Amino acid sequence: MSAGFQAIGWNRQKIVYDLVLLAGVVLYIATAIALDWRKEPPHNAADLCGLWIRASGACAFLMLTLVLCIGPLARLSRVFLPLLYNRRHFGVLTCIVALTHFAAVLGWYIADGHPFNLFFELTKWSDYASFGTMSFKVFGLGALVIMVLLAATSHDYWLAFLTPPVWKALHMLVYLAFGLLLIHVAKGLLQDERSPWITAYFAGSFALVAGLHILAGWREAPVDRGEAPRDGWIHIGPPSSIPDQRARVVAAPNGERIAVFRDGDEIGAVTNLCAHQNGPLGEGRIVDGCIVCPWHGYEYRLKDGCAPPPFKERLATYPLRLNDGMIEVEPRPLPPGTPASLRIAGA
Amino acid sequence: MTRNHRLVHRYIWPALAIVVAGLFVTALVTRPPPEPAPQEQKQ
């Protein structure tokens, strides 16, 4: 969290996550190379580079597909939340695999005896006149540049420096990278590879990622439409309608979401946006009097939205009242860290 | 995610899906015909 700088806050879960990822990458690339080698053994250094180009390219595409599925899956079902915890390491490893793919391409040109041909291909400006004549490598390079930018700014230092909304907006460029990658494949590999299964695999991967994002967005739209306040207050319901140590999430029309938590007889309302990465706090739970973000475990006290010492993050809280036995929240944020919780006997 | 991020998500994915699907299909439709097998070339 925020108490002091650490390059990576390693813990057992992150180490296991990364080891599983690394083992998966090694196994995938080794298997792909072995199968390719058996089909067509390499005769020279250029062929060896070709083996790595195909294996690492396929691996990077699969990894990016999986990385992009994690977000919407976690929004659709809590089962997938553990995958979200260390998603940044997954993304950075994907970028590293993609960089080895690019290095192998450069190696192929050098082994072929024409080290500058890639530069000449990419700077043949007349090819950019139409989509049909553009080199497939331009699309791959565009995707790689985006992935390097995102990997370089993935650390919490950049998250704090840019602020979570700007950082999140920047990292949405990964969707563009995925689109560019698919065009790279369609204009490259699929020009020679005629198997309908391989075409279906790539098209299906994109349809899966796009479909999951569209479905998750569609499922969440009703909450964002919000509820019109009556006399300036949004109706929540009786205290018992809020599950113990969980939250109900509401929003005013055109407003940000508010998470109304109950911890026994204490009820508090905070912004739904975690101060770390704007994760959905309302999908988290209360442990030892603190709201725990479901994404990365950041904690905030229910009574005032402050992270417990020595951490310094603070959340905006919202005024609550009990009106005729019903909890109501005023959709006007109080300054971060303002105590605003209610204690209701027999809640 | 903020409300604005969710709004962008909701609009960007259908648009991206249409654009990428269009370019993907164009790339496949306009690819050159496969080279004939060596045996066919001899004949």
Side-chain angles (χ1 to χ4, degrees):
Chain A
M1 284 166 76
S2 61
F5 178 80
Q6 265 187 299
I8 300 173
W10 288 109
N11 57 33
R12 190 176 174 276
Q13 200 177 350
K14 281 186 184 176
I15 291 169
V16 170
Y17 192 111
D18 285 6
L19 284 177
V20 169
L21 272 182
L22 208 56
V25 168
V26 170
L27 189 68
Y28 184 97
I29 291 183
T31 307
I33 288 180
L35 290 174
D36 225 6
W37 190 301
R38 213 171 141 186
K39 205 166 123 191
E40 203 176 320
H43 301 296
N44 50 41
D47 287 352
L48 277 173
C49 288
L51 284 177
W52 188 269
I53 289 169
R54 284 188 291 279
S56 58
C59 185
F61 182 85
L62 176 64
M63 289 175 80
L64 193 58
T65 303
L66 295 176
V67 167
L68 289 177
C69 284
I70 292 173
L73 282 173
R75 284 154 70 198
L76 291 166
S77 167
R78 301 180 58 82
V79 173
F80 297 99
L81 276 173
L83 296 175
L84 195 83
Y85 175 67
N86 211 20
R87 182 174 54 167
R88 277 188 283 179
H89 287 207
F90 202 153
V92 171
L93 189 59
T94 304
C95 178
I96 291 170
V97 173
L99 279 170
T100 71
H101 175 76
F102 180 64
V105 171
L106 293 179
W108 185 87
Y109 277 97
I110 292 167
D112 199 40
H114 302 94
F116 298 108
N117 270 13
L118 178 63
F119 175 76
F120 296 139
E121 275 181 47
L122 295 176
T123 53
K124 198 174 164 198
W125 306 119
S126 57
D127 282 357
Y128 291 88
S130 77
F131 175 69
T133 53
M134 282 169 77
S135 165
F136 74 97
K137 291 161 195 159
V138 176
F139 298 97
L141 195 60
L144 183 66
V145 168
I146 291 174
M147 286 166 74
V148 169
L149 173 71
L150 302 193
T153 57
S154 65
H155 193 270
D156 271 358
Y157 168 80
W158 286 101
L159 180 61
F161 181 75
L162 295 170
T163 71
V166 174
W167 185 88
K168 182 69 188 169
L170 175 72
H171 281 244
M172 280 183 174
L173 281 175
V174 70
Y175 308 145
L176 178 63
F178 189 53
L180 290 171
L181 203 54
L182 199 77
I183 306 304
H184 172 67
V185 170
K187 282 184 69 71
L189 175 77
L190 297 183
Q191 295 296 300
D192 299 320
E193 179 54 70
R194 300 286 166 152
S195 163
W197 294 108
I198 293 184
T199 306
Y201 164 72
F202 285 107
S205 298
F206 184 78
L208 175 70
V209 172
L212 281 173
H213 276 89
I214 290 168
L215 178 65
W218 176 74
R219 277 263 303 263
E220 291 194 335
V223 182
D224 278 334
R225 277 197 283 276
E227 294 172 39
R230 278 178 292 180
D231 303 327
W233 293 80
I234 296 176
H235 180 81
I236 305 292
S240 58
S241 69
I242 307 167
D244 193 24
Q245 298 186 318
R246 295 273 183 188
R248 279 191 50 196
V249 178
V250 294
N254 301 318
E256 287 292 351
R257 293 178 179 182
I258 302 166
V260 184
F261 279 92
R262 180 166 76 88
D263 185 16
D265 61 356
E266 186 178 16
I267 295 175
V270 297
T271 173
N272 194 49
L273 301 170
C274 177
H276 174 223
Q277 258 190 40
N278 286 175
L281 285 173
E283 292 170 25
R285 61 201 170 100
I286 290 180
V287 178
D288 295 333
C290 284
I291 299 163
V292 180
C293 179
W295 280 11
H296 301 100
Y298 274 52
E299 295 179 10
Y300 307 92
R301 292 191 300 241
L302 176 63
K303 62 178 181 183
D304 56 9
C306 293
F311 306 110
K312 292 172 183 166
E313 287 84 0
R314 290 183 304 166
L315 301 174
T317 54
Y318 289 81
L320 288 165
R321 72 177 183 185
L322 190 66
N323 186 19
D324 283 341
M326 301 291 169
I327 295 290
E328 293 180 337
V329 60
E330 190 180 11
R332 176 180 55 84
L334 297 168
T338 306
S341 67
L342 285 180
R343 279 204 180 273
I344 295 165
Chain B
M1 285 195 293
T2 63
R3 178 187 169 80
N4 286 339
H5 287 139
R6 282 193 297 276
L7 268 178
V8 171
H9 263 95
R10 243 168 254 152
Y11 290 108
I12 207 170
W13 273 105
L16 189 68
I18 290 167
V19 171
V20 171
L23 293 175
F24 186 83
V25 170
T26 305
L28 294 186
V29 168
T30 57
R31 63 185 170 182
E35 288 178 15
Q39 276 191 336
E40 289 174 35
Q41 277 179 327
K42 276 184 187 174
Q43 286 170 356

